[in-house]
């Protein structure tokens, strides 16, 4: 027996990827950060993120071709909910608006939410694809991971993956198989 669902629930059957934060900066130097769930690896040194073409982050990335992906943990749920609840075009510098004491990324120097599990600093691969479809392809230019979460011997992020968040629906997340509701 199967239960029939609305076709509008397809995204709830497939996990779009762990929750990430994307930091960017406008041509005028205004910092932005957003929360996103539709992401995946694209190649060994490339990532794919699906963005709304009307978002401030999309405009920023199209303007300067640079962004940073931060991988938050359960400790960051209130921050990711806050930055995911407003548009940069409405509040300006989202770090200031949300009261976040930011860090700077190591290579690109963009503001990032501190204490993430890992950071991937990226440069945009194809602006036409992002502009036309909202699909953002980024090439990693620097990656750094919190101590103890990367296995050098096996070259994997297994310990870190146990701490990543997956968005389920309406304030419900999963962390390492357990539900976390805010």
């Amino acid at each position: 027996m199967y239960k029939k669902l609305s076709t509008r629930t397809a995204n709830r059957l497939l996990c779009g990827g762990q929750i990430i934060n994307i930091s960017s900066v406008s041509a005028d130097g205004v910092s932005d950060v957003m929360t996103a769930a539709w992401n995946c690896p694209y190649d060994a040194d490339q990532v794919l993120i699906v963005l709304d073409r009307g978002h401030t982050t999309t405009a920023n990335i199209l303007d300067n071709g640079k962004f940073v992906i931060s991988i938050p943990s359960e400790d960051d749920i209130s921050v990711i909910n806050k930055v995911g609840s407003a548009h940069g075009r409405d509040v300006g510098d989202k770090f200031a608006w949300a009261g976040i004491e930011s860090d700077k990324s190591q290579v690109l120097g963009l503001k990032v939410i501190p204490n993430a599990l890992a950071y991937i600093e990226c440069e945009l691969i194809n602006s036409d694809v992002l502009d036309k479809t909202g699909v953002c392809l980024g090439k990693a230019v620097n990656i750094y991971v919190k101590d103890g979460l990367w296995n050098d011997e096996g070259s994997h992020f297994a310990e870190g993956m146990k701490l990543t968040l997956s968005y389920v629906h309406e304030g419900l997340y999963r962390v390492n198989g357990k539900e976390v509701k805010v």
Side-chain angles (χ1 to χ4, degrees):
M1 218 41 168
Y2 289 88
K3 177 181 177 109
K4 184 162 178 59
L5 300 176
S6 163
T7 56
R8 302 275 307 152
T9 61
N11 66 320
R12 295 187 199 156
L13 293 174
L14 301 172
C15 180
Q18 70 235 22
I19 290 290
I20 59 173
N21 290 113
I22 305 164
S23 297
S24 63
V25 65
S26 73
D28 298 331
V30 178
S31 294
D32 187 60
V33 61
M34 69 168 281
T35 301
W38 293 0
N39 61 86
C40 65
Y42 186 69
D43 203 342
D45 63 346
Q46 298 174 11
V47 295
L48 182 151
I49 307 166
V50 179
L51 300 171
D52 184 302
R53 292 180 311 181
H55 282 182
T56 304
T57 298
T58 306
N60 291 349
I61 294 170
L62 285 169
D63 279 347
N64 62 40
K66 297 177 182 353
F67 61 97
V68 179
I69 295 171
S70 305
I71 303 174
S73 69
E74 185 176 351
D75 295 338
D76 300 314
I77 289 176
S78 63
V79 172
I80 63 176
N81 283 341
K82 177 119 183 168
V83 300
S85 71
H87 290 285
R89 66 177 173 263
D90 298 331
V91 300
D93 183 323
K94 256 205 241 180
F95 289 90
W97 171 81
I100 299 168
E101 294 286 332
S102 62
D103 283 342
K104 292 270 187 185
S105 66
Q106 292 179 345
V107 170
L108 300 178
L110 298 180
K111 284 185 180 178
V112 293
I113 296 173
N115 299 314
L117 302 173
Y119 298 91
I120 307 170
E121 296 182 80
C122 298
E123 292 179 348
L124 181 63
I125 292 173
N126 188 321
S127 59
D128 289 337
V129 171
L130 176 56
D131 190 36
K132 290 177 184 163
T133 67
V135 173
C136 178
L137 298 172
K139 179 172 179 41
V141 296
N142 187 44
I143 299 172
Y144 49 109
V145 177
K146 194 176 266 190
D147 286 337
L149 300 182
W150 183 259
N151 181 309
D152 285 325
E153 186 178 309
S155 189
H156 60 77
F157 189 53
E159 290 306 309
M161 289 303 291
K162 293 177 187 175
L163 304 173
T164 63
L165 296 166
S166 293
Y167 179 74
V168 178
H169 179 64
E170 303 278 328
L172 179 63
Y173 297 88
R174 293 191 73 75
V175 178
N176 199 21
K178 69 175 183 166
E179 288 185 357
V180 179
K181 188 158 179 133
V182 203

